[in-house]
Each structure stands twice: as C-alpha cells, then as structure tokens.
Amino acid sequence: MNTEEKADNPLKQQLRSVIFGTETPQGKRFDIILMICIVLSVLLIFIDTIEHINEQYGQLISIAEWSFTVLFTVEYILRLYCSLNRLHYARSFFGVVDLVSILPSYLALIFPGANVALALRVLRLFRVFRVLKLLRYLSDGNLLLKAMMQSSRKVFMFFFSVSLIIMVLSVIMYVVEGPNNGFTSIPKSMYWTVVTITTVGYGDITPQTPLGQGIAALTMLIGYSIIAIPTGILTAEISHEMVRTRDLRKCSNCGKKGHDNDAEYCNHCGSELEKL
C-alpha cells in the first residue's frame, strides 16, 4: 500500500472499491446499474432521432437525457475524487469517453446544436468489456489485429490493383455512355464503377447503350471474381497466427502438441496437461 493510499480517508477508499472495483458485491452492483443507465441513455438518443416520437415525447426525452447527464456528471466527479491518480484517469480512454459523454449537454446551453454530439455517449458501451469480464477475450482480438497488420501489404496491393481497374473502367464508361446517359464526368463514372464492382447496384445511374451494358456485365463479373480475395488473404493470416500462438506443451499420454494456450486437457485424448 503506497503513501497516497494510506492518506486516503475511509470514504474515498470505499468509493474506490465500489466505483473502480469489481470484486465486491457493491462494485458489481454499481457496474451493472451503470451499464443499464448507459444502455438506456443510448437508446434515448436513438429514439429521439425518430421524428414522430420526438414530436410527441421530445420534452420527456429531454428531461430523461438531462437526468442521465447529471448522473454521469456525478459519477465522473466521484471517479476523479477517489482515483489514486486523477490525471491518469482523466487522460485514459475511459476517462476521456466519460468526459466527452457529458460535455455536449452543457455545451448545448451555450452553442445550440452541440447536443448532437451526445451520440458519442455510445462509446461508453465499451464498459461492457469490464462489466461482463470480456477482457479475457482481448487476446483473440489481438490475434485478429496481428493478422490484419501482417496482411496489410497484400491488402494494399489488392486495393491498388482494384483502384486501377476502377479508373480504367470509369474512363471507358464515360467515353461510351457520355453525359446524355448520366455519366456526366469521370468521377461520376467512378462512382458507378465502384457501386457496380462491389455488387451494390443502386440503380441511380445505368448504362443505356448495348456496349455500355456489356461493359457493365463484365464489371459485375469482375466484382464477383475479386470480392473474396481480401477475405482469403485475411483468413490465411489468421490461420498462420493461430498456428504461431498454439501451446507447444506435449501431452504425456499421446504426445500430441498444438493445444490452446488455456487448455487444461489434451484435445486429442483428453488427458490432463501439465500446468504452465
């Protein structure tokens, strides 16, 4: 226990164990109640964007939003008060999110329209990782991130190649169709090409000439041909990372390796593995 913690009064220590801790029943209840409030506040923001609901219940929603704002403000102040390192908390990811989630309401009193930024409150949903103990799954997230970083060069080359195809097809469609058929510029043609090659097909611009329709059909086939390439690249890198992170412990019964890092029993014969 450091000197600063010894100097804390019992109230501050109790608040810290409840607000920052999850080991005590009070801390667990606090996190669950906080998570419910965050979810409700985010739902209110979503519902408030529905016009007919806003017209009928806008005032009630505004009162509820201010209630949550006051509640989150008190929570933020208490976190600062009982934190061992206030500056560290204020500059941390959750500290910044906590502050950003309450600032728009107060700024809207000075700058009308600033409360639109209340949508940033959705970032507080990241606290679900702490409440539901999902941090243990972050290792899987790290594996995915490593795979994405390892495949970044291949994906970039794929993106660059597709960009060249899009530019070539855009110029061709601009020349073939022209402004009379909606292809008023090469950037407009690029928009059509991207929409077509990704198989979205909004239909707001369509080729009218037989040659243009033939090129459109070819563009669609190209889209179907290449759309799975980045998925394959990423899948291969994920498989490679999974092999690299496999546990090399050998089963004393069957001699097999390649178990999961947190495995307690052999996935081949079921025998208990040696503890790490």
Side-chain angles (χ1 to χ4, degrees):
M1 185 178 293
N2 55 41
T3 306
E4 185 179 357
E5 190 172 358
K6 287 181 180 178
D8 285 347
N9 57 57
L11 175 61
K12 187 180 289 189
Q13 293 182 6
Q14 179 67 21
L15 282 173
R16 187 184 307 121
S17 67
V18 172
I19 294 176
F20 287 100
T22 57
E23 293 79 14
T24 64
Q26 296 89 343
K28 292 178 181 178
R29 280 197 294 269
F30 175 83
D31 282 339
I32 292 173
I33 293 172
L34 176 63
M35 200 65 231
I36 292 173
C37 291
I38 291 172
V39 171
L40 290 177
S41 68
V42 171
L43 286 177
L44 278 177
I45 294 170
F46 288 177
I47 292 173
D48 193 35
T49 59
I50 302 175
E51 187 175 353
H52 70 274
I53 293 180
N54 179 267
E55 291 174 355
Q56 294 182 11
Y57 307 103
Q59 188 173 1
L60 288 175
I61 292 174
S62 179
I63 293 173
E65 285 180 351
W66 267 105
S67 300
F68 283 120
T69 298
V70 172
L71 179 65
F72 294 148
T73 303
V74 172
E75 180 221 349
Y76 181 74
I77 293 172
L78 288 176
R79 285 183 182 274
L80 283 176
Y81 169 72
C82 67
S83 178
L84 283 174
N85 190 329
R86 294 172 184 173
L87 183 61
H88 176 73
Y89 163 69
R91 295 172 61 181
S92 67
F93 172 77
F94 284 122
V96 172
V97 168
D98 290 344
L99 180 62
V100 168
S101 68
I102 59 177
L103 274 182
S105 296
Y106 298 109
L107 290 176
L109 298 175
I110 306 173
F111 307 104
N115 58 349
V116 174
L118 271 175
L120 294 174
R121 190 171 286 174
V122 72
L123 293 174
R124 299 203 82 197
L125 290 174
F126 279 107
R127 286 195 178 273
V128 73
F129 283 96
R130 180 171 176 269
V131 176
L132 300 181
K133 300 293 186 181
L134 295 179
L135 289 174
R136 69 189 67 176
Y137 298 113
L138 287 182
S139 59
D140 296 332
N142 290 333
L143 186 146
L144 180 60
L145 181 61
K146 287 181 181 179
M148 292 175 66
M149 292 176 64
Q150 291 291 335
S151 60
S152 59
R153 290 176 60 183
K154 299 183 183 72
V155 172
F156 172 76
M157 288 305 301
F158 167 78
F159 178 78
F160 181 72
S161 302
V162 172
S163 298
L164 291 178
I165 294 173
I166 288 172
M167 285 188 281
V168 171
L169 289 173
S170 300
V171 173
I172 293 174
M173 288 301 291
Y174 175 72
V175 172
V176 171
E177 292 292 325
N180 293 333
N181 293 326
F183 293 81
T184 55
S185 64
I186 291 179
K188 193 78 171 180
S189 299
M190 289 182 68
Y191 160 76
W192 174 87
T193 308
V194 171
V195 169
T196 305
I197 211 167
T198 54
T199 70
V200 176
Y202 291 129
D204 51 346
I205 306 174
T206 54
Q208 302 299 318
T209 65
L211 180 58
Q213 291 170 352
I215 296 172
L218 177 63
T219 304
M220 296 174 199
L221 291 175
I222 292 174
Y224 278 113
S225 301
I226 66 177
I227 199 167
I229 292 177
T231 305
I233 294 173
L234 186 58
T235 302
E237 290 295 338
I238 290 175
S239 300
H240 180 66
E241 284 296 324
M242 289 179 67
V243 171
R244 289 180 57 187
T245 56
R246 285 286 185 180
D247 189 353
L248 296 179
R249 284 178 297 171
K250 182 184 292 186
C251 175
S252 58
N253 181 46
C254 66
K256 295 290 186 178
K257 296 181 180 180
H259 307 94
D260 293 332
N261 288 325
D262 58 350
E264 296 182 1
Y265 297 92
C266 176
N267 55 9
H268 295 280
C269 67
S271 300
E272 188 174 1
L273 297 172
E274 294 181 1
K275 302 296 181 183
L276 289 173

